């Protein structure tokens, strides 16, 4: 079944506080959409509105062409996996997986076949007779996924399904999920996470949420290479965000002229220049910045240098740095004109809050994705 999913100006409020504000978002049939955002931004609430566990104060939810806003959860044809497995502890694995099918009153033979199929897909066929307490965390999460898949949902909702697992297991399960999606190309997946690596790895598109609102939506590549806002720039990958004044054919950063595409930004306006740390190179070149080293972090494949330039911290991720500079050394770094993105001036006041340099975890190697 291929159906897709659509939020049509969906708002949710708790006790008068809006926690999801007019969400407009379409997940195409077979698409993996990641909902990425900080804690409390409304991601789980959006998912619960699709599943039918929370009733929108306004707006409609569509699955395929069907308006499901008023339907109870079990009639929406949705599979859902949450962070904490939530298996029934007293039921064997096979009965957990059969649960949704039994609720649908499917015939016995069909239930047996579908349970076997779902356990096979998730690599759990050998564990059918065990109880959840006899399984590891990763195995329990596979069973939870098998249970969600058993009803052959058109839409699969995953709410931080890997966050209870350790880093190694998480990476393995991430590959498993990618494989599952290849085997089920018609299933639309809405994948909630605050981990940008998961979002970049798995998603066809990413919807960036902050403060109950959708801030941005695009392919991982679009959001990484050409973010529209400071929030997206700093949340999807690491970013140097430099305050600049637009000139002709470039910008002024604290008295230094930088040649960067200014698009249609008006001369004399202030804006923010986004430069990814892995695109900053050592030594002189176009768009050179000179300052003193205030921190050096060794990260295995790279060194992250923090350089103070005209009162701002500039991050540079450098590969193959045999002799890292010492703290206090004066060094020059540079970046190519095409490697900087001028973020739209006139962003909303909320978004233009001072974010001189914001760091996000786990993104040290994301540059490699885009080459
Ligand atoms: N049942 C509830 N009653 C009252 N407030 C709620 C309820 N559920 C969620 N909220 C509030 O709604 C806001 C959004 O919560 P939500 O769970 O959607 O965030 P999230 O983006 O999933 O965050 P996290 O990454 O921490 O899971 C939060 O401020 C939260 O406190
Ligand atoms: Mg949540």
């Amino acid at each position: 079944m291929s159906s897709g999913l659509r939020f049509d100006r969906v708002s949710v409020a708790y006790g008068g506080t809006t926690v999801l504000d007019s969400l407009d978002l379409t997940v195409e049939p077979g698409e993996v959409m990641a909902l990425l955002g900080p804690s409390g931004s409304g991601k789980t609430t959006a998912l619960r509105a699709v599943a039918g566990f929370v009733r929108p104060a306004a707006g409609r939810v569509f699955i395929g062409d069907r308006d499901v806003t008023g339907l109870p959860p079990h009639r929406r044809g949705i599979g859902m996996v949450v962070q904490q497995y939530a298996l029934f502890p007293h039921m064997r694995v096979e009965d957990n997986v059969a649960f949704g099918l039994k609720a649908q009153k499917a015939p016995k033979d069909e239930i047996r076949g579908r349970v076997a199929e779902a356990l096979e897909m998730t690599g759990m066929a050998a564990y059918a007779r065990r109880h959840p307490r006899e399984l590891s965390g990763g195995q329990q999460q596979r069973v939870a996924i098998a249970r969600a898949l058993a009803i052959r949902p058109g839409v699969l909702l995953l709410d931080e399904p890997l966050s209870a697992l350790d880093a190694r297991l998480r990476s393995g399960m991430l590959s498993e999920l990618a494989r599952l999606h290849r085997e089920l190309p018609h299933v639309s997946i809405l994948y909630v996470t605050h981990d940008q690596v998961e979002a970049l790895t798995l998603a066809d598109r990413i919807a960036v949420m902050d403060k109950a609102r959708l801030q941005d939506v695009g392919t991982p590549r679009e959001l990484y290479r050409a973010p529209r806002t400071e929030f997206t720039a700093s949340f999807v990958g690491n970013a140097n965000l430099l305050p600049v004044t637009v000139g002709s054919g470039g910008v002024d950063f604290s008295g230094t002229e930088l040649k960067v595409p200014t698009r249609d930004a008006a001369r004399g306006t202030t804006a923010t220049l986004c430069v990814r740390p892995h695109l900053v190179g050592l030594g002189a070149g176009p768009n050179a910045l000179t300052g003193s080293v205030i921190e050096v972090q060794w990260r295995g494949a790279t060194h992250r240098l923090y350089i103070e330039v005209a009162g701002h911290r500039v991050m540079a991720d450098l590969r193959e740095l045999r002799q890292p500079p010492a703290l206090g050394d004066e060094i020059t770094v540079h970046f190519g004109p095409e490697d900087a993105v001028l973020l739209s001036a006139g962003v909303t006041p909320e978004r233009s809050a001072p974010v001189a340099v914001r760091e996000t975890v786990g993104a040290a190697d994301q540059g490699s994705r885009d080459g």
Side-chain angles (χ1 to χ4, degrees):
M1 185 169 54
S2 118
S3 44
L5 158 72
R6 182 157 64 89
F7 295 87
D8 181 12
R9 280 174 291 159
V10 174
S11 293
V12 174
Y14 287 115
T17 307
T18 300
V19 300
L20 190 65
D21 193 357
S22 284
L23 177 61
D24 259 323
L25 184 68
T26 301
V27 185
E28 303 294 343
E31 184 176 39
V32 181
M33 175 76 78
L35 270 187
L36 179 69
S39 184
S41 56
K43 307 180 300 290
T44 294
T45 302
L47 220 67
R48 291 172 62 83
V50 178
F53 297 130
V54 56
R55 214 187 153 74
R60 322 290 315 166
V61 177
F62 293 86
I63 293 174
D65 297 330
R66 203 160 59 119
D67 182 344
V68 299
T69 319
L71 284 187
H74 65 274
R75 294 191 46 210
R76 296 188 178 202
I78 277 174
M80 185 159 174
V81 178
V82 298
Q83 179 180 347
Q84 294 297 349
Y85 332 131
L87 299 175
F88 302 109
H90 58 286
M91 285 186 196
R92 295 181 190 279
V93 163
E94 58 191 4
D95 297 319
N96 264 285
V97 176
F99 186 80
L101 293 163
K102 283 185 182 158
Q104 288 180 354
K105 304 208 176 357
K108 273 218 168 70
D109 280 354
E110 188 178 332
I111 293 179
R112 204 172 308 121
R114 296 259 200 111
V115 168
E117 177 190 78
L119 288 175
E120 194 63 47
M121 273 188 145
T122 49
M124 290 300 292
Y127 300 83
R129 305 285 300 161
R130 290 208 195 171
H131 282 90
R133 63 172 179 275
E134 301 166 304
L135 301 174
S136 72
Q139 290 166 338
Q140 288 184 51
Q141 199 57 317
R142 281 164 200 265
V143 175
I145 294 168
R147 183 175 61 182
L149 292 177
I151 62 160
R152 295 202 183 140
V155 172
L156 186 59
L157 305 175
L158 301 168
D159 192 355
E160 314 240 10
L162 309 184
S163 60
L165 309 178
D166 68 52
R168 234 186 125 98
L169 206 52
R170 209 155 52 220
S171 143
M173 284 292 282
L174 205 53
S175 315
E176 292 270 315
L177 285 173
R179 175 187 58 77
L180 267 178
H181 186 242
R182 284 195 297 274
E183 287 175 20
L184 301 166
H186 304 302
V187 178
S188 304
I189 298 179
L190 192 56
Y191 188 99
V192 166
T193 179
H194 55 248
D195 182 327
Q196 50 169 307
V197 175
E198 286 177 22
L200 289 168
T201 308
L202 214 55
D204 297 310
R205 284 191 300 157
I206 299 175
V208 182
M209 306 267 305
D210 189 34
K211 301 192 181 85
R213 306 195 70 136
L214 180 66
Q215 302 289 340
D216 222 334
V217 58
T219 65
R221 194 170 276 259
E222 281 163 359
L223 296 187
Y224 190 81
R225 286 205 171 156
R228 285 189 310 114
T229 66
E230 291 185 16
F231 184 80
T232 303
S234 60
F235 210 78
V236 182
N238 292 302
N240 289 301
L241 297 172
L242 310 176
V244 295
T245 308
V246 179
S248 53
V251 298
D252 177 282
F253 168 61
S254 294
T256 304
E257 284 297 320
L258 301 173
K259 285 208 183 337
V260 298
T262 55
R263 296 185 288 182
D264 44 10
R267 233 184 125 159
T269 56
T270 56
T272 300
L273 191 68
C274 168
V275 185
R276 299 296 185 185
H278 75 277
L279 297 174
V280 176
L282 194 60
N287 296 334
L289 299 170
T290 299
S292 59
V293 175
I294 50 177
E295 197 179 337
V296 178
Q297 293 173 349
W298 183 61
R299 300 186 168 203
T302 58
H303 281 87
R304 156 76 54 91
L305 305 189
Y306 291 88
I307 306 149
E308 188 177 323
V309 180
H312 296 275
R313 274 191 336 162
V314 173
M315 298 179 283
D317 287 342
L318 302 169
R319 285 178 188 277
E320 292 162 27
L321 197 58
R322 297 223 181 280
Q323 186 71 56
L327 295 189
D329 279 2
E330 186 170 282
I331 65 166
T332 296
V333 292
H334 69 277
F335 59 89
E338 301 304 323
D339 291 336
V341 178
L342 196 64
L343 300 180
S344 46
V347 289
T348 59
E350 256 180 17
R351 274 188 257 162
S352 61
V355 209
V357 177
R358 223 189 93 180
E359 248 213 280
T360 39
V361 290
D365 293 318
Q366 261 151 37
S368 54
R369 181 190 177 100
D370 276 0

